[in-house]
Each structure stands twice: as C-alpha cells, then as structure tokens.
C-alpha cells in the first residue's frame, strides 16, 4: 500500500514537472516602432519587466509575438501575421484590424471617458453638465457619451472637422460647466487646441484632457497613459497571452497617470491644484462613476 | 502653450489681476449670463438685486438707484461702475446713470461685483463697491439674433445683434430700444410722469493681430427720453405748462491693446473718450407772489431785485419772501411788472455736458513663482459744462498710480497688498490702501481677512456749484423787453447757490472676515464686516436746499451670505441674504439702508425645451416701506430649420401693498411681458 502511494507521488511529481515545462516555454517578443527615444526607453523597460518566459528579440522574424507602438507600426506589423499587441494605437484602427480577423489586440491611445469624468468630478465637484467634444476619429464613440450614467450629465458635442469646432463651442459653452476632450489627432491639432482653449477660457469654462501635452498647453488636468503605464499594461497583456494564448479585449490602460496644470487649476479655483494631491483624491474616490 | 494673458481668470475685478475667487482680497459676487437669463430681468440694473447687500430699485420715478450698503435714497455717489473697463461714474453730478448706459442686458456676458471698498485698485469713488460689467466677446457669439417683447404698462422692447466672425477676430453690433410707463398711476388722483424710452448702440471689434497682440475697439452710445416729475420747489410758485422731459445723449469710443512680452509679463493700454449730455426742459407760468394767481407779477421770480434780496437774506427763501413787502427795490419791480399786462411764463433748462478722456497703462508681472505685481498709471481729463449748475465750464485733470501685489507666501496662504495714489486738481493728493490675507484651510475651504480704506472725492458740482437757472424763453412782452421789465437780461431765476469749494473727501474704513467654500454641490460665501464712513456730504445740495456740510457719519456692521446649490444638472438654487445695522448722525443717510434683505432664485430646466425660473426679493425696509416681490418666468426653446427660437413669459408680482421707497412709487399691478428671440 505504502509502495503504491510512493509510485503515485513520483508520477504526480513527474507530471507536474513536465506540465510546467510544457506550459512555460520561453516566447520571444519584438517591438516595432518608428525610431524614437521613446521606443528605446520602451523596449528597455519592457525587457526589464517581462517575466522569465518572455524575452525581447531584435528581429521580427525571430519573434513569436509582436508589439507595435503607434498606428503606423501597428499597420505594418499586421503584415507579419503573428500575434500582435498594439500599444498607443487608435481605437478606430484596432477595431478595423479586429474586423479583418487579425490575432491582435490594442492598448488604445488615451484613457477611458469614465476615467476623465471621474477626474472632473473629483477636482470640480460643482460641475453638473460637461460637454464632450467628439470628431469622427475620436477614441470615444458617441454611444459611450450618450449612454453614460453618473452624477454628471454629459453632453455630446459632435463636430465634423476642425472648422466646426468654433461654432460648436460658441453655441454650447454657455450652458456647460466644463469641456472634456478625447484623444483625436485629426481633430485636435495645434491650431484647434489653441482655439478650444482660448474659446473656453474666454468664457471661463475649464478644459480637461486629453493628454499630458494638452495639459502643458493649458488644459486643467487629465488622466493620460504615460510611458510606464503603457509598459506595465503591455507586460500584463503579454503575460496573459503567454499563459492563455489570448490577448483579451482591446482597451485603454487600466491604471493611467494624472497630471494637473497647477496655474490653470489655481485660476479656476479647483479643489486640487497639484498632481499628487489629485491622484490621492482619485484613489480615495475609488471606482469611476 | 497659452500666453498667461489668455489663461482663465475666475475673477478679474478685486485686484485688477486674474485670480481665483478664493484668493481675491474681497467678497465677490459673479452674475453670469445663465443667472441673468434665469432672473428674467428686463433691465440691467435689476439683476443686481441678486447681490447681497445691494439695493437696485427705481427710487426716483424712472431713475434706478443702485447702491451697495445704501444710505441716501437718491444716492449713486458712493460706488464705481465699470462697463468694459470704462468708468460709468459721471463726475459732473457724481452719479451713475443706469438708464443712459450704452448697453443692453442681452449684450452682457458677466457682472463681477466687488463688495467692499476697492479704491486701492480703482482709485477714488470705488468707495463702497465696484460693479464691473463685461459685455459679450464677439468671438464667443455664434449667431445673430433679434428679440422683441411687449407687455402691460407700456413695455415695448427690441434688441438686434449682428455678429461676424473674421479670420483673426470678430465683430459685434447691437442696437436696442426699451421703454415702459413707469410706476402705476394715478397717484392721489394725478398722473405722475415717469415713462421712459431708451435706445442704445454697442459695437465691438476684436482683432488678434498675432499670438501676443490683441486689439479691441468699442464704440457706441445711447439716447434717452425720460419723463420727469415736476420740481416741488418750482410747482409751489408756478404752474408747469407741461411735464418736464429729460433728454440724454451719450457716446463713447474705446481702444484697448493687450500685449504679452512673455509668459510672465503682460501689458495693457486702454484709452477711451466718452461724452454725455442731459437737458431737462420745463416751462412754467409763475404765480404772482401777492395774488397767488398767474400774472405779470410772476416775473418777480426772475428779477434782478428779488435775486439781490435773496442774497441779502442769506439765500433763505422764506426770509426773502417775508422781506419782500418792505423792500423798496423789489416792490418797485413788482409794480413795474404789473404794467406788462400779461402772465409771466418762462422756459428754462437744466443742462449738463460731461466729457472724459482717459488713458491707462497696466503692467502685470510675475516676479517669482509666488509673487505677482500689477502696476500702472492713469491720466484722466474730466470736463463738465453746465450753465445751470456751474455757470460755465469746469475741468479736472487727475493723475493716478497704482500697484497690487499678490504673494503666495506659504502654499495655503495668499497675501494681497494694494495701494492707489492720485492727485486731482480739485481734491489734491490721496492714497488708498488695502491688505488682505486668504488662507486655504482645506481644499475647497478658504478664510479671508481684508482691511481697506477708500475715499470719494467731491464731484465738480459739489466743489464748483454755481447755480443759475436762466430764462431761455420768455412770454411776450417779457421776451422783447427783458431789461426794462425784469431789471436784467438775460434773466435768471432769483434762487442761486454757490459751493464754498472747501469740501473734504468722504472716507471709508472697512474690514471684513469671510469664508468662501465649495463643497458637495454647494458654493458658499459668508462675510462679517464693519464699515465706518466719515466726512460725508450728507445734506442737500440742490437749488432750493443747499446746505454744505462735511459732517455726516455712517457706521455699517453686519453679515452677508450667498449660497448656490446645484443638486443636479436641471436645478439651480441660489440664496442671498444680508443683515446690516446702520447708525448715522443724519437721518437721510438711512433711507435706503435695509436692515434685512435677501433674494432667492430657483431655475429648473424640466425638459430639453422648457425651463422655469422663479425669484423672490425682500428688503425690510426702505424708508419704512418693505419691498417684497416674486418673479416667475417660463422659457421655451425650439428649432425651426436653421433658426432657433426662444419664447419667454415673465410675471413680476408685488407681494405687499407698500410703495417702493417713496409713496409716489406705486406698484400695485403685476408687470408681465412676453418675448421672443430668433437666432440665425
């Protein structure tokens, strides 16, 4: 009897060892991106943070998995027909790729609308009606705005193009408490950004989002996906894929960073005027509304 | 990156610097366009009822009196009103004419009221408060539109605004006309003339020359026709041949240049000129002082001899009339007049023309991360011409220098230090200081303490009054034989007054402790204050009563609060209240000082197209009369093709039977009107 138990234990031990070896083969990852300092930092950080069963390689042909930074690289990477993770990719492009049947997913550029609204609610608790400017290529589809339920009413400000921005703002700012902008490179170029900020601030309506650059230019505050946020999210996605063979649904980064323009936040008498204090308040506030 | 000058400012007024309300060295009430529309107000002055401690009523027939911590009933002297940076304080008679202000309520974007003395930022006459009216920037208006509205009591209003967006700027032109019949009549069986008709023009052109230079040109004017009540002093000695009418004309042009040297250094140059003329015509057939009937003996009131007798009797009318029978020259004149054989009638006018040229330079410099300085200089030339009030033309040139320093000494503490030095030809040199400390106790909770001093310099009339009311027209035969019949030509009304020209400026010392907070869906501002007003010119200075004195004193002590609550997107509740103890050594300084006053406003957007708002106002009391009124407004907005229409119906209902300040201001019938705005 004791001898039988011993055989079984040895068999299970061998099975477990063999299973571990079978489930965790080292997979290789290659990062595609336009040459830039950000790419270098990203690749370096990724290589450091990846688990032991994932390894960064220099050649795409030698890689089991591809990571593409940005829309251009993502489009190019699709030609390799390998499992592909897009990072900082436009939502429209990733959804198009999914429709084409690629084995891919994306960490979208920008952050979720729920995150940005939570930020506005925390820093500006008196706000009750917020305008969300959306163009055809914005990261948030109109349905997300229309379907939003929470303590703040969102008003969809659809604009076809940059030329329509001025009139839309002029018509709506008076009955809004604030404006939230999406990531939308085609709609919000430098001239449009200036127009939005100047028009809103002449009427003393604060602008939130969409990213760090905008906050530096004059918007009050924003959740944004920092480089380290993207690395963390990418590592998580790669780990899951390595374990399950599935990417999961494309989405925004789950834990974005926060930035506040202290000068503008002070001008608007915002409750929190520096990034650390706002981040703490957001953490205390818990889930997004 | 936006230039600092383009970055937002919650309040601009208290210290001339962009700063959040919580860091301003004063209590501030902001009335934005949403609130203006929700109030249902027809005229601009009416929305100021929403400011705690502010009185805004028509005291004198059709002439609004707007005053913060008011004292005298017809007093507009102790507060500064700015319209797009142009002082509306008129130096001739120390007043602000809300009727003639060249702006329509629909052209206003926002009103900032600095409650408390602000002479440290704006100089003399920013005495009890500053009202800063900011019109709509043409760059922010998307549609042209026309509004018409009409109602009972002769309410007939129209407004037309045209907007054009340009490549680097925008242009707006607004014209408006408004009129009504004033208070209800008859009063004691008589018709009281207090109707009015006012036309305004207001234009603005903004040009963004480049990222660092913006030019703004504004021009406009107004024309007013006010029915005026008969002057009691004149009505006692004559029969008006028609009710007096005051006709006014006003024009202005303004140029502003904003330049940004860098992110930390900006310059603003503002120059403007404005012109104001008011003429009140009246024609009277004077009563014979012996018979009490109209007749040639009425000419005595315009005779050289009665003027001499009046001066000999120390400008005392009663003494003059008592001395008349025993004065040989006056009685001879009276007998001479009897030979004229026709009633004596004279047409006169009260005239005043005021011209102001102003140039101001303001420099805003971020000295360090925690220190910001606003400094500047101003030169102003006031010229007043009036035959009836001044006997000619008077000039006053003033030079001013100011500075306000905002220091964020410790992260949660802001210190504001300010001062204003000025010299004018009439009142000499003066300095007005202010110091304030704001402490951010917790996010959204702020305490403040402010000490300030201010002064009101005597106006040109008070210092240079030389009252002479000329007979502009005379009935025959007095017109053709003036010298022989009246003893002089031209002939003047016998009453005359001259100012001693020795008045000191009125002074105020004020301190306040306040709280400003935003929490949950509430915004709350509370202040406790004490104000000591000294050297007041409290006594009457009109042709019939001219008692020059600098001895008036007033002490205000009280509490004010304003609360806004937005529980959700559809509702806005706003409540204000004030409780003020006023003590004075001159009874008339207390006429408009209400012990308790307040307002409540509820705005409810109950569907995408429909909105309801209601307001309640209470002042207990004005001159022993309680003012209590409730307003209700419905608005319906819809589209018709490319056109947007907004209908509105407003009812103003007095809740008690008391008159407004004075008995003749009777307001028993509800005011109601219906209006429509079409925007294209």
């Amino acid at each position: 009897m004791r001898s039988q138990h011993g055989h079984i234990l040895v068999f299970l031990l061998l099975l477990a060892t063999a299973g571990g070896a079978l489930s965790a083969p080292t997979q290789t990852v290659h990062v595609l991106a336009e040459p830039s300092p950000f790419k270098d930092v990203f690749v370096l950080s990724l290589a450091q943070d990846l688990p032991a069963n994932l390894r960064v390689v220099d050649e795409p042909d030698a890689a089991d998995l591809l990571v593409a930074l940005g829309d251009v690289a993502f489009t190019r990477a699709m030609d390799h027909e390998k499992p592909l993770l897009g990072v900082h990719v436009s939502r429209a492009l990733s959804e198009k790729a999914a429709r084409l049947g690629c084995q891919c997913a994306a960490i979208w550029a920008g952050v979720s609308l729920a995150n940005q609204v939570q930020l506005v609610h925390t820093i500006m608790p008196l706000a009750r009606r917020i305008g969300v400017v959306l163009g055809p290529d914005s990261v948030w589809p109109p349905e997300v705005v229309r379907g939003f339920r929470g303590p703040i009413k969102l008003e969809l400000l659809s604009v076809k193009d940059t030329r329509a921005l001025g009139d839309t703002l002029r018509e709506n700012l008076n009955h809004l408490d604030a404006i939230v902008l999406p990531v939308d490179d085609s709609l919000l170029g430098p001239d449009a950004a200036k127009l939005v900020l100047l028009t809103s601030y002449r009427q003393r309506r604060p602008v939130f989002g969409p990213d760090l650059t905008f906050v530096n230019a004059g918007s009050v505050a924003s959740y944004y996906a920092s480089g380290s946020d993207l690395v963390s999210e990418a590592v998580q996605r790669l780990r899951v894929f390595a374990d399950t063979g599935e990417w999961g649904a494309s989405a925004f980064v789950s834990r974005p960073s926060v930035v506040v323009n202290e000068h503008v936040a002070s001008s608007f008498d915002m409750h929190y005027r520096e990034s650390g204090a706002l981040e703490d308040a957001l953490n205390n506030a818990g889930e997004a509304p | 990156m936006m230039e600092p000058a383009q970055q937002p400012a919650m309040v601009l007024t208290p210290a001339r610097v962009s700063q959040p309300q919580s860091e301003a060295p004063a209590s501030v009430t902001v009335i934005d366009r949403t609130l203006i529309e929700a109030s249902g107000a027809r005229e601009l002055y009416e929305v100021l009822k929403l400011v705690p401690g502010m009185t805004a009523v028509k005291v004198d027939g059709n002439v609004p009196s707007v005053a913060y911590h008011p004292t005298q009933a017809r007093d507009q002297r102790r507060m500064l009103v700015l319209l797009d940076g142009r002082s509306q304080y008129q130096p001739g008679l120390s007043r602000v004419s809300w009727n003639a202000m060249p702006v329509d309520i629909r052209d206003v974007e926002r009103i900032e009221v600095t409650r408390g003395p602000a002479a440290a930022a704006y100089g003399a006459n920013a005495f009890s408060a500053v009202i800063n009216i900011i019109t709509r920037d043409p760059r922010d208006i998307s549609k042209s539109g026309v509004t018409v509205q009409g109602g009972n009591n002769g309410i007939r209003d129209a407004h037309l605004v045209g907007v054009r967006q340009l490549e680097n700027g925008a242009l707006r032109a607004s014209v408006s006309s408004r009129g009504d019949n004033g208070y209800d009549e008859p009063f004691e069986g008589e018709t009281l003339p207090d109707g009015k008709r006012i036309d305004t023009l207001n234009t603005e052109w903004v040009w963004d020359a480049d990222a660092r230079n913006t030019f703004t040109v504004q021009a406009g004017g107004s024309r007013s026709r006010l029915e005026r009540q008969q002057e009691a002093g004149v009505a006692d000695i004559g029969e008006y041949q028609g009710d007096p009418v005051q006709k006014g004309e006003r024009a202005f042009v303004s140029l502003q240049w904003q330049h940004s040297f860098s992110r930390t250094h900006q310059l603003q140059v503002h120059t403007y000129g404005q012109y104001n003329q008011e003429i009140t015509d009246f024609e009277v057939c004077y009563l014979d002082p012996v018979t009490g009937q109209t007749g040639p003996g009425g000419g005595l009131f315009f005779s050289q001899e009665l003027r001499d007798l009046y001066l000999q009797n120390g400008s005392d009318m009663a003494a003059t009339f008592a001395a008349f029978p025993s004065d040989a020259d006056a009685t001879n004149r009276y007998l001479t007049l009897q030979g004229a054989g026709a009633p004596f009638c004279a047409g006169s006018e009260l005239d005043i023309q005021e011209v102001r040229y102003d140039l101001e330079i303001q420099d805003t410099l971020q000295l360090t991360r925690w220190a910001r300085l606003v400094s500047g200089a101003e030169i102003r030339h006031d010229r007043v011409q009036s035959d009836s009030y001044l006997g000619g033309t008077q000039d006053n040139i003033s030079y001013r220098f100011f500075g306000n320093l905002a220091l964020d000494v410790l992260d949660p503490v802001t210190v504001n230090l300010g001062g204003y030095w000025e010299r004018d030809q009439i009142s000499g040199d003066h300095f007005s200081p202010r110091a304030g400390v704001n402490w951010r106790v917790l996010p959204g909770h702020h305490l403040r303490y402010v000490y300030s001093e201010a002064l009101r310099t005597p106006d040109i009339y008070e210092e240079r009054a030389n009252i002479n009311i000329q007979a502009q027209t005379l009935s025959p035969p007095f017109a053709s034989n003036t010298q022989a019949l009246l003893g002089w030509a031209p002939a003047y009304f016998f009453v005359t007054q001259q100012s001693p020209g020795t008045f000191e400026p009125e002074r105020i010392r004020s301190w306040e402790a306040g709280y400003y907070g935003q929490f949950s869906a509430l915004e709350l501002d509370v202040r406790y204050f004490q104000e000591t007003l000294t050297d007041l010119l409290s006594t009457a200075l009109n042709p019939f009563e001219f008692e020059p004195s600098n001895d008036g004193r007033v002490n205000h002590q009280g509490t004010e609060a304003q609360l806004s609550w937005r529980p959700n997107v559809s509702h806005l509740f706003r409540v204000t209240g004030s409780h003020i103890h006023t003590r004075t050594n001159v009874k008339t300084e207390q006429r408009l000082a209400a012990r308790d006053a307040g307002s409540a406003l509820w705005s409810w957007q109950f569907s995408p197209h429909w909105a309801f708002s209601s307001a309640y106002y209470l002042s207990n009391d004005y001159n022993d009369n309680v003012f209590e009124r409730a307003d209700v407004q419905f608005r319906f907005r819809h589209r018709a093709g490319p056109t947007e229409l907004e209908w509105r119906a407003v009812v103003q209902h007095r809740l008690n039977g008391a008159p407004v300040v004075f008995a003749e201001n009777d307001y028993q019938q509800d005011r109601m009107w219906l209006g429509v705005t079409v925007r294209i």
Side-chain angles (χ1 to χ4, degrees):
Chain A
M1 195 65 186
R2 181 170 292 183
S3 161
Q4 275 185 339
H5 281 157
H7 288 145
I8 290 169
L9 282 172
V10 170
F11 173 74
L12 288 174
L13 187 61
L14 288 171
L15 198 63
T17 308
L22 285 171
S23 64
T26 298
Q27 297 195 43
T28 52
V29 179
H30 176 75
V31 178
L32 289 99
E34 298 298 299
S36 71
F38 176 69
K39 180 196 172 187
D40 300 338
V41 174
F42 184 89
V43 171
L44 196 62
S45 302
L46 191 71
Q48 286 175 349
D49 292 353
L50 282 175
N53 60 337
L54 288 164
R55 181 167 55 86
V56 175
V57 295
D58 292 336
E59 293 299 325
D61 293 338
D64 301 315
L65 311 174
L66 296 178
V67 173
L69 290 180
D71 285 4
V72 174
F74 186 78
T75 305
R76 190 154 45 87
M78 286 169 62
D79 295 339
H80 291 276
E81 296 184 343
K82 291 184 175 181
L84 169 63
L85 176 66
V87 175
H88 199 69
V89 168
S90 69
R91 182 174 184 158
L93 179 61
S94 85
E95 289 176 345
K96 181 183 172 187
R99 284 195 298 274
L100 293 174
C102 78
Q103 192 185 359
C104 59
I107 303 166
W108 294 326
V111 298
S112 73
L113 177 62
N115 271 329
Q116 292 290 41
V117 173
Q118 183 195 27
L119 180 146
V120 176
H121 186 57
T122 303
I123 197 172
M124 195 181 171
L126 298 187
R128 287 290 176 271
R129 190 190 294 264
I130 296 174
V132 182
V133 177
L134 290 188
D137 300 322
S138 297
V139 290
W140 305 319
E143 302 78 51
V144 174
V145 178
R146 292 195 191 100
F148 185 86
R149 296 289 178 270
I152 293 176
K153 179 175 172 54
L154 300 188
E155 191 155 314
L156 176 62
L157 307 179
S158 289
V159 290
K160 291 178 185 172
D161 51 38
T162 304
R163 283 175 300 173
L165 259 177
D167 276 346
T168 300
L169 292 172
R170 277 188 281 272
E171 283 181 29
N172 291 284
L173 275 174
N174 184 47
H175 62 269
L176 297 171
D177 297 317
I179 292 285
V180 171
L181 300 177
V183 168
D184 188 335
D185 292 340
S186 60
L187 181 67
L188 298 171
D191 288 344
K194 188 176 175 186
L195 172 71
V196 172
L197 291 169
L198 292 181
T199 306
S200 302
Y201 289 166
R202 272 202 306 272
Q203 298 195 47
R204 294 168 170 77
R205 299 301 191 271
V207 176
F208 293 91
D211 55 28
L212 180 64
T213 308
F214 245 82
V215 173
N216 288 334
S219 85
V220 178
S222 183
Y223 264 123
Y224 72 103
S226 68
S228 62
D229 297 333
L230 292 171
V231 170
S232 299
E233 192 80 17
V235 168
Q236 178 63 21
R237 292 293 187 117
L238 290 166
R239 180 181 287 146
V240 169
F241 188 88
D243 292 345
T244 66
E246 299 288 339
W247 286 118
S250 296
F252 297 105
V253 291
S254 55
R255 296 181 65 83
S257 298
V258 176
V259 62
V260 176
N261 184 321
E262 293 181 24
H263 178 76
V264 180
S266 295
S267 296
F268 275 116
D269 244 349
M270 294 297 171
H271 273 208
Y272 302 99
R273 301 176 182 187
E274 55 97 12
S275 304
L278 177 59
E279 194 164 4
D280 291 344
L282 287 164
N283 290 335
N284 292 336
E287 293 298 312
Chain B
M1 187 74 185
M2 295 174 68
E3 296 296 332
Q6 298 166 334
Q7 289 184 352
M10 292 305 285
V11 292
L12 288 165
T13 312
R16 286 176 170 262
V17 62
S18 306
Q19 61 189 160
Q21 193 164 337
S22 62
E23 294 176 6
S27 301
V28 182
T29 297
V30 176
I31 299 174
D32 61 12
R33 198 147 51 88
T34 303
L35 205 54
I36 292 171
E37 290 176 353
S39 74
R42 263 185 71 227
E43 297 189 82
L44 185 56
Y45 82 92
E46 289 184 289
V47 298
L48 294 159
K49 287 185 171 73
L50 296 169
V51 179
M54 187 77 76
T55 289
V57 289
K58 288 189 295 182
V59 171
D60 208 5
N62 46 26
V63 179
S65 282
V66 179
Y68 183 67
H69 294 173
T71 46
Q72 297 195 16
R74 296 186 172 98
D75 206 339
Q76 308 268 357
R77 293 181 291 178
R78 294 172 182 151
M79 189 173 64
L80 177 65
V81 178
L82 299 169
L83 174 57
D84 290 324
R86 304 186 309 277
S87 171
Q88 299 300 295
Y89 186 89
Q90 295 169 249
L93 301 177
S94 271
R95 69 207 186 287
V96 174
S97 174
W98 288 87
N99 280 328
M101 211 174 281
V103 66
D104 187 86
I105 189 170
R106 296 164 193 81
D107 296 326
V108 173
E109 178 65 36
R110 172 184 173 89
I111 302 171
E112 289 184 7
V113 181
T114 302
R115 292 149 49 214
Y122 296 96
N125 310 326
F127 191 77
S128 62
V130 176
I131 296 175
N132 189 6
I133 302 164
I134 300 160
T135 57
R136 300 190 66 184
D137 190 315
R139 292 171 293 183
D140 299 331
I141 306 175
S142 60
K143 292 179 175 171
S144 299
V146 60
T147 300
V148 290
Q149 62 187 24
N152 65 354
N153 195 46
I155 293 171
R156 300 286 184 273
D157 302 338
H159 177 253
L160 174 69
V161 59
V163 185
R164 186 170 178 79
Q165 299 298 324
L166 308 171
E167 188 175 351
N168 290 310
L171 180 66
R172 169 178 62 80
S174 308
V175 291
S176 75
S177 178
R178 68 181 193 275
D180 59 54
N181 292 339
Y183 284 109
D184 289 332
E185 295 158 4
F187 171 70
E188 296 178 346
E190 292 184 8
T191 300
L192 287 177
D194 58 0
K196 68 180 175 190
R197 170 61 54 192
I198 295 154
D199 306 317
T200 67
L201 168 69
N202 188 290
T203 64
E204 181 174 355
W205 172 52
V206 181
W207 176 42
D208 294 312
D210 54 45
R212 295 193 166 188
N213 293 284
T214 299
F215 294 88
T216 303
V217 180
Q218 293 175 301
S222 69
R223 196 172 52 191
S224 59
R225 183 184 186 281
L226 310 180
E227 297 174 357
R228 305 295 294 142
Q229 293 170 23
Q230 297 177 6
E231 178 65 46
V234 176
D236 287 344
I237 57 172
E239 291 179 356
Y240 274 90
Q241 300 303 291
D243 289 321
V245 172
Q246 179 182 307
K247 294 175 181 170
E249 290 180 352
R250 183 179 283 200
F252 75 93
V253 62
S254 161
L255 171 65
Q256 191 173 63
W257 170 44
Q258 290 178 300
H259 176 72
S260 180
F261 293 106
S262 68
R263 286 188 39 72
T264 57
H265 190 193
Q266 298 88 44
L267 180 73
Q268 177 178 293
V269 180
H270 185 199
T271 183
Y272 66 90
Q274 55 192 30
Y275 165 82
N276 180 65
Q277 175 181 280
E278 289 173 10
I279 295 176
T280 306
D281 291 314
F282 57 100
E283 184 166 352
V284 178
C285 289
Y286 289 87
L287 306 179
D288 186 310
V290 176
T291 67
Q293 304 294 318
T294 55
L300 189 68
F301 294 116
F302 278 79
S303 67
Q304 170 85 66
E305 288 75 15
L306 197 64
R307 162 70 67 91
D308 294 342
L309 189 61
Y310 175 74
L311 294 174
Q312 287 165 22
N313 284 277
S315 301
D316 185 326
M317 282 183 69
T320 303
F321 287 130
F324 158 62
S326 57
D327 184 85
D329 292 339
T331 50
N332 284 339
R333 175 59 57 195
Y334 178 73
L335 294 172
T336 303
L337 285 165
Q338 297 305 314
F344 175 84
C345 300
S348 304
E349 66 177 28
L350 299 173
D351 67 309
I352 187 163
Q353 287 182 13
E354 295 156 295
V355 179
R356 168 176 292 164
Y357 303 103
D358 190 288
L359 172 65
E360 181 187 271
I361 298 171
Q362 177 177 312
D363 185 88
T364 305
L365 181 62
Q366 187 82 40
L367 296 167
T368 69
R369 182 179 163 80
W370 48 270
R372 185 164 39 167
L373 175 68
V374 177
S375 59
E378 183 179 8
I379 181 169
R380 176 180 291 179
H381 181 185
D382 285 308
R383 168 169 288 182
V384 183
Q385 198 279 325
S386 173
D387 291 330
S388 47
Y389 292 115
L390 302 173
T393 301
Q394 295 285 342
D395 292 275
N396 189 19
I397 297 176
S398 54
Y399 307 89
R400 302 152 171 226
F401 298 91
F402 57 87
N404 279 274
L405 184 65
L407 300 167
D408 296 318
V409 283
L410 298 168
D411 183 32
V413 177
T414 301
V415 175
N416 284 280
L417 302 171
Y420 202 109
W421 179 88
E422 56 196 310
R423 167 181 289 171
D424 75 51
Q425 291 177 317
I426 289 182
S427 302
D429 298 358
H430 302 288
F431 180 73
S432 303
R434 177 173 61 189
V437 180
N438 298 62
W439 176 28
R440 189 169 178 242
V441 184
L442 290 168
H445 299 271
H446 309 262
L447 298 175
R448 69 173 173 275
Y449 175 86
V450 182
Y451 173 81
S452 56
E453 295 179 10
L455 52 89
R456 183 188 76 82
T457 49
D459 64 41
I460 292 176
Y461 170 77
E462 287 165 332
E463 276 291 311
R464 302 278 192 265
N466 183 10
I467 299 171
N468 271 298
I469 300 171
Q470 184 185 343
Q472 304 281 346
T473 60
L474 289 167
S475 56
F478 302 96
S480 57
N481 204 9
T482 308
Q483 181 72 44
L485 289 172
L486 300 173
W488 55 357
Y492 291 92
F493 190 56
F494 78 101
V495 170
T496 182
Q497 305 287 357
Q498 277 206 310
S499 169
T502 55
F503 288 122
E504 290 294 316
E506 297 184 334
R507 297 184 181 279
I508 184 172
R509 289 169 183 257
S510 164
W511 67 266
E512 71 163 74
Y515 163 82
Y516 173 77
Q518 294 180 342
F519 47 94
S520 184
L522 293 165
E523 181 181 35
L524 175 65
D525 185 279
V526 183
R527 72 183 290 234
Y528 170 81
F529 59 87
Q530 288 195 5
E531 296 170 346
T532 303
L533 290 71
T534 55
D535 298 336
L536 301 182
L537 283 71
S538 302
T539 45
L541 296 175
N542 64 59
F544 296 99
E545 282 183 274
F546 201 91
E547 303 163 6
S549 165
N550 240 157
D551 298 333
R553 288 181 65 89
V554 170
N555 281 285
H556 293 301
Q557 174 189 340
T559 308
E560 291 169 356
Q562 59 186 30
L563 172 73
S564 293
W565 180 41
R566 292 180 67 192
N568 58 49
V569 72
S570 302
H571 293 275
L572 166 66
F573 296 92
R574 188 176 183 281
V575 181
T576 67
S578 63
H579 178 76
I580 306 174
H581 293 265
T582 300
R583 294 186 302 279
T584 177
N585 62 343
V586 182
K587 187 180 177 184
T588 52
E589 291 282 13
Q590 216 165 1
R591 280 228 171 100
L592 214 54
R595 171 69 62 93
D596 297 294
S599 71
L601 184 141
W602 170 35
S603 176
W604 179 25
Q605 182 83 38
F606 59 92
S607 86
H609 300 295
W610 284 92
F612 165 84
S613 58
S614 180
Y616 168 79
Y617 305 103
L618 168 71
S619 291
N620 186 14
D621 51 49
Y622 295 145
N623 200 28
D624 297 331
N625 294 310
V626 175
F627 179 89
E628 195 174 14
R629 197 181 83 188
D631 299 354
V632 172
Q633 174 182 236
F634 280 94
R635 285 182 288 165
F636 175 61
R637 187 176 291 187
H638 65 103
R639 284 192 167 275
T643 306
E644 183 183 290
L645 285 93
E646 181 176 324
W647 302 83
R648 62 178 64 205
V650 182
V651 177
Q652 294 180 339
H653 175 65
R654 276 300 298 280
L655 296 170
N656 63 359
V660 180
V661 186
F662 295 123
E664 64 268 29
N665 297 331
D666 200 13
Y667 183 1
Q668 298 302 331
Q669 189 184 11
D670 288 348
R671 300 289 184 266
M672 52 189 80
W673 62 90
L674 181 68
V676 61
T677 299
V678 181
R679 298 188 187 92
I680 303 170

